[in-house]
Amino acid sequence: MWALFIWASLLLISITHWVYSWRNPKCRGKLPPGSMGFPLLGETIQFFKPNTTSDIPPFVRERVKKYGPIFKTNLVGRPVIVSTDPDLSYFVFQQEGRCFQSWYPDTFTNIFGKKNVGSLHGFMYKYLKSMVLTLFGYDGLKKMLPQVELTANKRLELWSNQESVELKDATASMIFDLTAKKLISHDPDKSSENLRANFVAFIQGLISFPFDIPGTAYHKCLKGRENAMKMLRNMLQERRKKPRKNPSDFFDYVIEEIQKEGTILTEEIALDLMFVLLFASFETTSLALTLAIKFLSDDPAVLKRLTEEHETILKKREDADSGLTWEEYKSMTYTFQFINETARLANIVPAIFRKALIDIKFKDLFNDADYTIPAGWAVMVCPPAVHLNPDKYEDPLVFNPSRWEESKANNASKHFMAFGGGMRFCVGTDFTKLQMAVFLHSLVTKYRWEEIKGGNILRTPGLQFPNGYHVKLHKKDEID
């Protein structure tokens, strides 16, 4: 009896000590305020709760109100410091490789691949980044401009002959087909397998609770990735067996790199790179484009000014039907302000993770206290909190492209991090802007549209989904 009592007492003490240690993690310094949540789960369930507003996610907003702009939490079993402070967030990005390195939870790594570009560091990351810039760098985009415009014109023509078009899916299909052609020469009309269908299955479970059980969204996501990777692997192996005499896409370039003597590029890394590029290029841009058109529909004054800029480009040409030139593209001043404002409010990637390599001490001015980020802890930078800060942006929830007229923050700064920051600033940013600007040029100069169904915007900790936004396109020359 006494033995059972002693055993039960020891068990109770052990559990109590474990719970106390969970809620009060060790730190050589003072941790920011916050809660570590329940043992094992942390605050994971609250974090994954969807956000149906255009404001900062409730998970972050509620804790900022309670603890201040920097707080501690625990997500999927990992201790995390959340930063909504622009100075600390900017510091985290700028100290990549010295004080911090890119990091994402294991659930994300399982989805995007253990060798995906976001999980690699140092020389390997820089090597892959330089590879991608051969396609999405200045020279590559300049060559790509005519094809981007041709693709936009063809799709808009097709959509104008339909009763209505669901913009999110339609723009995603357009961008995916263009990107897949440039990357791997994939032609959906000639392929017996639907590559994009696997990515759609992947995306539908991307931001879901990580239960890998048949029937769950997360399981379907992993299966979508598995099927897409199988297709990419088969394409790569077939291309290696029958190499082309004249390399014409990114796959050819990758194969050349793999076959070089002493190469550090493996097939696994190459395939994970292809997967991430295909996903990032079409999913994020289609979301931004859909929201951009929604913003135009809701604000006639912005639409009028944007249309005037693009009609002025046509009026200055000797031949109004000639294609866009690079000089014309670079002259789209208001268009780039419009794209920046869309990216600011879209917050397509509202959580960016890093991991502390050493103990980091910093000053929290809000709480007037010195805090420490322990080595090994994750840091989650929250761009929406920066982008919707009323101290920096007047009426932050109002769509106002003109707020960018005097701004020099076209890419990344302390107050604008829609495309990341530091050495991991998104290499596809200019490709995204090119696609959006060219599509908007074709749209506003040749078409008018009416909303058929407004749709809903479901925001999650990772992405937002404008669901069911249908429009009917009308050619301007037919109306006039």
Side-chain angles (χ1 to χ4, degrees):
M1 189 72 178
W2 278 104
L4 181 61
F5 175 76
I6 294 172
W7 182 86
S9 299
L10 290 174
L11 180 62
L12 180 61
I13 292 171
S14 297
I15 293 174
T16 302
H17 177 73
W18 175 59
V19 171
Y20 178 84
S21 298
W22 176 275
R23 294 183 174 178
N24 300 275
K26 292 181 180 179
C27 174
R28 290 189 293 269
K30 185 179 180 181
L31 286 168
S35 170
M36 303 305 285
F38 292 105
L40 300 180
L41 275 178
E43 296 188 303
T44 307
I45 295 176
Q46 299 94 315
F47 177 75
F48 277 101
K49 185 179 179 181
N51 177 17
T52 56
T53 74
S54 297
D55 207 339
I56 301 167
F59 174 84
V60 174
R61 188 174 65 249
E62 292 165 6
R63 284 156 183 77
V64 167
K65 186 177 180 180
K66 186 175 182 179
Y67 303 118
I70 304 163
F71 59 90
K72 68 175 182 285
T73 184
N74 188 291
L75 303 175
V76 292
R78 183 85 182 207
V80 179
I81 300 296
V82 178
S83 171
T84 67
D85 178 80
D87 291 310
L88 177 60
S89 298
Y90 188 74
F91 173 77
V92 169
F93 287 144
Q94 296 304 312
Q95 292 299 311
E96 171 83 24
R98 293 183 287 273
C99 301
F100 300 92
Q101 70 178 24
S102 179
W103 174 88
Y104 283 89
D106 290 342
T107 51
F108 282 74
T109 304
N110 292 338
I111 289 172
F112 286 106
K114 298 186 184 301
K115 297 293 184 180
N116 81 82
V117 65
S119 299
L120 299 174
H121 313 288
F123 177 77
M124 192 67 207
Y125 170 76
K126 293 177 181 178
Y127 169 70
L128 292 181
K129 184 177 180 179
S130 68
M131 283 182 61
V132 175
L133 286 174
T134 62
L135 179 67
F136 295 134
Y138 176 85
D139 292 334
L141 294 180
K142 205 170 180 181
K143 295 175 183 176
M144 211 182 295
L145 175 59
Q147 190 172 358
V148 173
E149 184 180 19
L150 179 63
T151 299
N153 286 334
K154 283 185 175 180
R155 291 302 175 103
L156 286 167
E157 173 72 25
L158 176 65
W159 300 342
S160 68
N161 293 315
Q162 299 175 4
E163 286 300 315
S164 69
V165 60
E166 199 286 295
L167 269 179
K168 169 60 180 62
D169 185 67
T171 53
S173 175
M174 173 187 72
I175 296 166
F176 184 87
D177 290 348
L178 171 65
T179 308
K181 187 173 183 179
K182 295 301 295 182
L183 287 174
I184 57 178
S185 297
H186 179 70
D187 187 340
D189 296 327
K190 296 179 181 178
S191 175
S192 59
E193 297 182 276
N194 191 336
L195 180 60
R196 182 172 172 259
N198 291 314
F199 274 90
V200 171
F202 166 79
I203 290 162
Q204 288 174 346
L206 179 59
I207 304 300
S208 58
F209 203 80
F211 282 143
D212 186 12
I213 301 171
T216 63
Y218 185 73
H219 180 78
K220 293 176 182 177
C221 177
L222 292 177
K223 292 298 292 184
R225 170 185 160 78
E226 181 183 325
N227 293 333
M229 289 295 287
K230 183 179 178 181
M231 288 185 67
L232 290 173
R233 186 173 290 105
N234 290 339
M235 291 177 192
L236 179 62
Q237 291 173 352
E238 185 177 337
R239 190 78 67 85
R240 293 183 73 173
K241 290 177 183 177
K242 300 177 181 178
R244 299 179 180 184
K245 293 182 179 179
N246 299 311
S248 60
D249 63 16
F250 193 64
F251 234 165
D252 291 326
Y253 176 67
V254 166
I255 290 170
E256 286 183 359
E257 289 293 310
I258 290 177
Q259 293 176 339
K260 285 181 179 178
E261 186 176 350
T263 183
I264 60 172
L265 183 64
T266 65
E267 186 172 296
E268 181 185 6
I269 294 174
L271 289 172
D272 278 345
L273 177 63
M274 288 293 180
F275 183 87
V276 170
L277 289 177
L278 281 168
F279 163 76
S281 61
F282 88 93
E283 180 61 17
T284 55
T285 308
S286 63
L287 286 165
L289 265 180
T290 304
L291 288 166
I293 295 169
K294 175 63 176 170
F295 289 143
L296 287 175
S297 300
D298 294 342
D299 197 327
V302 171
L303 174 59
K304 182 175 182 292
R305 185 170 174 185
L306 187 72
T307 303
E308 287 174 349
E309 177 170 85
H310 288 277
E311 288 183 341
T312 298
I313 290 174
L314 299 183
K315 290 174 183 177
K316 289 181 178 180
R317 289 181 185 168
E318 292 184 9
D319 179 5
D321 294 325
S322 62
L324 271 171
T325 66
W326 188 254
E327 290 70 28
E328 288 172 340
Y329 165 65
K330 298 300 287 185
S331 73
M332 298 176 182
T333 304
Y334 186 70
T335 301
F336 292 124
Q337 294 170 10
F338 175 86
I339 291 172
N340 274 353
E341 183 69 349
T342 299
R344 182 186 72 84
L345 282 176
N347 287 311
I348 292 171
V349 184
I352 303 174
F353 290 91
R354 296 289 186 267
K355 183 174 74 172
L357 299 176
I358 57 175
D359 287 353
I360 307 295
K361 298 185 183 298
F362 66 93
K363 180 80 172 179
D364 182 355
L365 297 178
F366 180 84
N367 290 312
D368 190 25
D370 294 315
Y371 293 124
T372 298
I373 302 174
W377 277 48
V379 178
M380 189 188 93
V381 172
C382 184
V386 175
H387 296 158
L388 301 176
N389 182 356
D391 293 334
K392 174 61 180 177
Y393 298 102
E394 184 179 353
D395 296 324
L397 292 175
V398 174
F399 185 77
N400 178 21
S402 296
R403 73 170 81 242
W404 296 91
E405 285 179 354
E406 304 299 325
S407 174
K408 295 181 180 179
N410 291 320
N411 287 323
S413 71
K414 289 183 180 180
H415 302 287
F416 185 61
M417 47 189 69
F419 304 102
M423 68 175 289
R424 287 186 183 267
F425 181 77
C426 177
V427 293
T429 298
D430 290 333
F431 182 45
T432 295
K433 290 183 177 181
L434 177 73
Q435 291 180 95
M436 290 185 69
V438 172
F439 181 86
L440 291 169
H441 173 79
S442 297
L443 176 67
V444 301
T445 56
K446 298 178 181 178
Y447 298 90
R448 293 194 181 103
W449 65 92
E450 58 179 311
E451 290 186 356
I452 303 300
K453 185 179 178 183
N456 298 308
I457 296 180
L458 173 64
R459 296 169 185 256
T460 70
L463 292 173
Q464 56 187 342
F465 300 88
N467 296 317
Y469 184 51
H470 293 256
V471 299
K472 169 62 180 173
L473 291 180
H474 303 280
K475 291 183 178 178
K476 283 187 174 182
D477 55 6
E478 293 180 357
I479 298 174
D480 299 336

